[in-house]
Amino acid sequence: MLQPHHRIAIYMEENLDSDFGKMGFGIMRYSKNTISCVIDSKNAGKTVREACLLPFGYPVLADIDQAAKTGADVLVIGIAPSGGRIPDSWLEPLSKAIQHGMSLVNGLHDPLHEKFGNSLKPGQWIWDVRQPGFTPAIASAQAASLNSKRILMVGTDMAIGKMTAGLEIWKWIQDQHPNLNSEFLATGQIGITVTGKGIPLDGFKLDHACGAVETLVMGAATADIIIVEGQGSLLHPGSTATLPLMRGTCPTHLIMCHRATMTSLRTSQKIRIPPLKQFIQLNEQVASACGSLANPSTIGIALNTSLLDEANARRAIEDLEAETGYPVQDVVRFGAEKLASLTVQ
């Protein structure tokens, strides 16, 4: 599918500056492919840096026709709307991309191959990332038998930075301890796209979800350190993703992810985020199942401070450390060493 020589255009229409652009943000941060442009008519004429908080100089263009002129041969849908559905308004620009000879990377629930498969020319393809590739066996806590450190990223909400923090920590381990066999296991569409492997956890039926995670983890059985990308939150009423991750991973450690100043769920303001130390203990207790499975300990807290200036970000980190007693760091802003170094001890 996606190969290193492919030039990418990222479709971000009206979402370059919104939380729903997280697929595109992840591609910009971590893809090894050349990114020729970003498509968003609302911010056309700017660079990404001028349009949002990300520090990239990619040009923002108005439409697919302009993107095709940059030599892009793959269009990545960079938007992840609530529910993961493809709006009808996107079908025309996606069809036009295919007419221009582009292949498509689709991280949403609606498969595109059945819509556009007959329109593909030789060499073109559609990668529906969120479609499961196998039916796993029922999980049986096999991962608990491994000798590896299995570090599961958990969080207070969806879209809180679990994948980003996990990738930053994994990258630090790779750079600083190249002799350690470390793996990042992707469980969502962004992680799969940038690493080229993983499972689309929310594409599996409920009965198969734990087994899918277990299959993924057992496939990395020889690794010394396994970082498992988190999904959802035990706190979120619309998410069941954290539990199969805990059961399939049998984690030895957890890293809690949280956004600074956030006191309630982003889409459910009535649901307050409890004191973080209590929520950390809840995650440990659920993962342990009263000691019947793993007994994970929490390494620390990855704090997303992107909405704060640097002085207030450092103050938020210090305050949360004093409140919880755990090491706290914004691994994107200030580097991953503070938390990542604890994974190799």
Side-chain angles (χ1 to χ4, degrees):
M1 294 297 180
L2 191 62
Q3 301 296 326
H5 67 273
H6 288 132
R7 292 177 59 86
I8 290 175
I10 306 177
Y11 186 74
M12 300 284 286
E13 181 60 25
E14 296 188 349
N15 281 279
L16 179 55
D17 54 358
S18 86
D19 285 345
F20 291 128
K22 68 175 188 176
M23 176 74 166
F25 302 156
I27 297 297
M28 285 185 243
R29 280 195 177 106
Y30 299 113
S31 177
K32 296 180 180 179
N33 292 78
T34 298
I35 298 173
S36 65
C37 65
V38 172
I39 301 166
D40 178 12
S41 61
K42 186 174 72 173
N43 288 289
K46 300 178 181 178
T47 64
V48 169
R49 183 183 294 108
E50 293 167 339
C52 66
L53 295 174
L54 294 180
F56 302 113
Y58 305 126
V60 184
L61 305 182
D63 54 36
I64 297 291
D65 291 331
Q66 292 183 19
K69 294 177 182 177
T70 68
D73 48 15
V74 174
L75 181 71
V76 175
I77 299 176
I79 311 170
S82 182
R85 316 302 303 193
I86 295 179
D88 289 342
S89 60
W90 292 5
L91 297 180
E92 182 178 350
L94 294 177
S95 177
K96 186 169 287 188
I98 290 174
Q99 293 172 25
H100 278 294
M102 296 184 195
S103 297
L104 301 180
V105 175
N106 167 36
L108 301 177
H109 284 302
D110 292 334
L112 287 178
H113 200 278
E114 60 188 41
K115 292 182 183 294
F116 298 120
N118 292 333
S119 302
L120 299 176
K121 304 178 183 70
Q124 276 183 295
W125 43 265
I126 295 173
W127 184 13
D128 288 315
V129 180
R130 234 162 173 167
Q131 301 304 302
F134 65 100
T135 300
I138 301 300
S140 58
Q142 292 183 62
S145 66
L146 300 178
N147 293 322
S148 58
K149 283 187 176 179
R150 297 176 304 284
I151 301 162
L152 176 61
M153 312 300 294
V154 294
T156 52
D157 198 1
M158 297 181 181
I160 205 75
K162 295 181 287 292
M163 180 207 69
T164 300
L167 282 170
E168 292 291 333
I169 288 169
W170 180 53
K171 184 177 183 298
W172 185 91
I173 296 170
Q174 287 187 307
D175 291 343
Q176 301 299 319
H177 296 273
N179 293 329
L180 280 176
N181 181 1
S182 61
E183 291 274 3
F184 176 85
L185 302 185
T187 61
Q189 71 272 22
I190 307 171
I192 295 170
T193 302
V194 299
T195 65
K197 59 184 180 180
I199 59 166
L201 178 58
D202 59 5
F204 284 89
K205 294 180 180 179
L206 187 60
D207 284 353
H208 297 154
C210 296
V213 177
E214 184 171 273
T215 300
L216 183 67
V217 173
M218 295 306 293
T222 61
D224 301 307
I225 298 176
I226 299 172
I227 309 291
V228 181
E229 178 189 0
Q231 300 292 334
S233 171
L234 289 180
L235 186 60
H236 201 293
S239 172
T240 59
T242 302
L243 190 58
L245 283 165
M246 289 177 169
R247 295 295 173 259
T249 301
C250 294
T252 59
H253 298 83
L254 305 175
I255 292 178
M256 177 61 64
C257 302
H258 179 58
R259 185 188 292 276
T261 74
M262 196 171 182
T263 58
S264 62
L265 297 190
R266 185 176 48 142
T267 57
S268 303
Q269 299 297 316
K270 294 180 181 179
I271 300 178
R272 306 286 293 179
I273 295 173
L276 221 53
K277 189 169 184 177
Q278 293 179 25
F279 190 58
I280 286 171
Q281 292 170 349
L282 172 65
N283 277 264
E284 291 177 348
Q285 290 164 1
V286 172
S288 168
C290 300
S292 298
L293 299 172
N295 282 292
S297 59
T298 298
I299 289 173
I301 300 168
L303 187 66
N304 181 340
T305 66
S306 59
L307 300 181
L308 303 177
D309 61 31
E310 183 171 336
N312 282 315
R314 293 188 184 278
R315 189 173 301 113
I317 289 169
E318 292 172 1
D319 289 347
L320 193 55
E321 284 189 335
E323 175 190 332
T324 65
Y326 288 97
V328 180
Q329 185 61 292
D330 185 326
V331 298
V332 173
R333 193 172 202 165
F334 301 122
E337 180 177 5
K338 185 175 182 179
L339 297 184
S341 60
L342 299 175
T343 70
V344 300
Q345 292 181 1

